[in-house]
Amino acid sequence: MDLHSYRVAPGQKLELSNWDPNDTGDIADKSEARQLLKIERKRIVALQERLFAEAQQSLLVILQATDTGGKDGTIKHVLKGVNQQGCRVRAFKVPNSVELAHDFLWRYHQHTPRDGYMMVFNRSHYEDVIVVRVKNLVEEEVWSKRYEQINDFERMLTANNTRVLKFYLHISKDEQKERLQARLDDPEKHWKFSTRDLAERARWDAYQVAFHDAIAKCSTDYAPWYVVPANNKWYRNLVVARVIANTLEEMNPQFPPPEPGLEDIVIAD
Ligand code: ADP
């Protein structure tokens, strides 16, 4: 699996329609992917414990996708077993009036991870150049300046010891149709279905343009975007888990040094 091929280089010419959402790299099948995912999860759990103990740096993972793209499933499968003490998930919905009365980054900044923590954003400040753009919620004059503001924000976070990783879960329009149909067919999935999703689906092309620009303009050396082939859930989970595990390894968190003289301590009966 060549993880590098999913990472968008700064300034790289990006054509999302050329990225195959069915790609499964060199993984034979679901059962192989599941075995490998277990290994990645073990790495994440062990490294996250070190990150928490060290309490000097943090990791922010951003998940974006079209509806049914699999953000929730990715969180469920990749974070299984991670100690809740040092890991949080935050989902962002339509902003409320207080949030709208501030600059667009205000509501996100409050939830960036503290030292030692791993934070996952289910949707993020990228909505402010994606849904906001597609639905004309603000003027172009406003959203078009946000790419640079986002890059500045992420640069500032990075300079303050927060690593930023961004994943776009890439599914095809046909796959979305199947997933929406499954939500209609299966009574246990009815709760996931909303007729609003159909209105969003009708804007598929506009969303693809908005995702493209967000990824192309905001994939930086310090906060890269990964375009993850996501038609196959098992491959998607493995790619995301491996990138997170590798990043944590690069961050190289260390247990803090013990208090001096521990070897002389005798615990009284
Ligand atoms: P999800 O689809 O993530 O499981 P919901 O169905 O509650 O959760 O959808 C959340 C909604 O909030 C989406 O329609 C999304 O477009 C919207 N949203 C998120 N962030 C913003 C934002 N900054 N501005 C406008 N709408 C937003």
Side-chain angles (χ1 to χ4, degrees), residues 1-3 6 22-29 32-33 36 234-235 238-239 242:
M1 181 192 289
D2 179 13
L3 288 179
Y6 304 135
N22 280 313
D23 181 17
T24 52
D26 54 358
I27 308 300
D29 54 22
E32 186 189 355
L36 294 171
W234 44 269
Y235 191 66
L238 180 59
V239 170
R242 201 166 269 179

Side-chain angles (χ1 to χ4, degrees), residues 67-68 71-72 91-95 100 107-108 122-125 127-128 131-132 135 137 194 196-197 200 207:
D67 288 326
T68 75
K71 294 181 276 93
D72 295 352
F92 292 96
K93 311 280 181 185
V94 177
L100 286 172
R107 72 168 179 156
Y108 307 102
N122 182 342
R123 302 185 188 267
S124 67
H125 42 282
E127 292 295 333
D128 295 84
V131 65
V132 165
K135 291 188 169 172
L137 300 180
S194 155
R196 267 182 302 137
D197 294 344
E200 298 304 308
Y207 270 108

Side-chain angles (χ1 to χ4, degrees), residues 15-68:
E15 188 55 67
L16 278 182
S17 54
N18 290 342
W19 292 59
D20 180 10
N22 280 313
D23 181 17
T24 52
D26 54 358
I27 308 300
D29 54 22
K30 195 176 192 169
S31 80
E32 186 189 355
R34 284 197 173 152
Q35 288 309 320
L36 294 171
L37 178 62
K38 279 188 195 155
I39 297 172
E40 298 307 334
R41 277 203 303 246
K42 273 196 188 146
R43 291 175 68 208
I44 294 174
V45 168
L47 287 159
Q48 204 276 324
E49 179 164 320
R50 283 176 173 262
L51 187 78
F52 186 72
E54 179 194 63
Q56 298 286 328
Q57 49 182 339
S58 60
L59 177 63
L60 173 61
V61 174
I62 289 175
L63 293 178
Q64 290 285 162
T66 51
D67 288 326
T68 75

Side-chain angles (χ1 to χ4, degrees), residues 35-246:
Q35 288 309 320
L36 294 171
L37 178 62
K38 279 188 195 155
I39 297 172
E40 298 307 334
R41 277 203 303 246
K42 273 196 188 146
R43 291 175 68 208
I44 294 174
V45 168
L47 287 159
Q48 204 276 324
E49 179 164 320
R50 283 176 173 262
L51 187 78
F52 186 72
E54 179 194 63
Q56 298 286 328
Q57 49 182 339
S58 60
L59 177 63
L60 173 61
V61 174
I62 289 175
L63 293 178
Q64 290 285 162
T66 51
D67 288 326
T68 75
K71 294 181 276 93
D72 295 352
T74 304
I75 291 169
K76 183 164 142 186
H77 289 99
V78 172
L79 295 185
K80 203 162 138 185
V82 176
N83 189 346
Q84 295 295 304
Q85 180 149 247
C87 181
R88 297 278 183 279
V89 178
R90 176 80 196 181
F92 292 96
K93 311 280 181 185
V94 177
N96 64 29
S97 58
V98 177
E99 290 166 339
L100 286 172
H102 288 82
D103 72 85
F104 78 102
L105 290 169
W106 181 78
R107 72 168 179 156
Y108 307 102
H109 200 176
Q110 297 172 67
H111 297 286
T112 55
R114 55 188 290 176
D115 288 343
Y117 278 61
M118 177 169 153
M119 183 74 182
V120 180
F121 279 4
N122 182 342
R123 302 185 188 267
S124 67
H125 42 282
Y126 283 96
E127 292 295 333
D128 295 84
V129 288
I130 298 173
V131 65
V132 165
R133 172 178 174 179
V134 170
K135 291 188 169 172
N136 293 313
L137 300 180
V138 300
E139 302 283 316
E140 176 166 356
E141 152 103 23
V142 175
W143 62 252
S144 61
K145 294 194 177 111
R146 289 182 173 170
Y147 301 100
E148 203 186 328
Q149 292 163 354
I150 287 173
N151 286 340
D152 288 345
F153 174 57
E154 293 178 356
R155 189 186 297 111
M156 183 278 293
L157 292 177
T158 310
N160 286 280
N161 297 333
T162 297
R163 275 289 276 263
V164 183
L165 275 180
K166 302 169 313 207
F167 297 100
Y168 170 60
L169 310 178
H170 183 41
I171 60 164
S172 61
K173 198 173 177 190
D174 288 345
E175 179 68 19
Q176 187 187 57
K177 185 175 181 189
E178 277 181 33
R179 291 186 187 184
L180 287 170
Q181 189 62 49
R183 290 179 181 185
L184 285 174
D185 295 344
D186 180 350
E188 296 209 345
K189 289 186 177 165
H190 283 173
W191 67 275
K192 289 191 187 179
F193 187 85
S194 155
T195 44
R196 267 182 302 137
D197 294 344
L198 301 182
E200 298 304 308
R201 177 170 169 78
R203 299 182 169 114
W204 177 274
D205 291 342
Y207 270 108
Q208 291 299 301
V209 171
F211 276 117
H212 168 278
D213 284 3
I215 296 166
K217 291 174 193 282
C218 299
S219 199
T220 53
D221 284 332
Y222 51 89
W225 268 109
Y226 286 83
V227 176
V228 180
N231 273 7
N232 293 290
K233 296 170 183 170
W234 44 269
Y235 191 66
R236 169 201 79 198
N237 293 339
L238 180 59
V239 170
V240 172
R242 201 166 269 179
V243 173
I244 292 176
N246 288 356

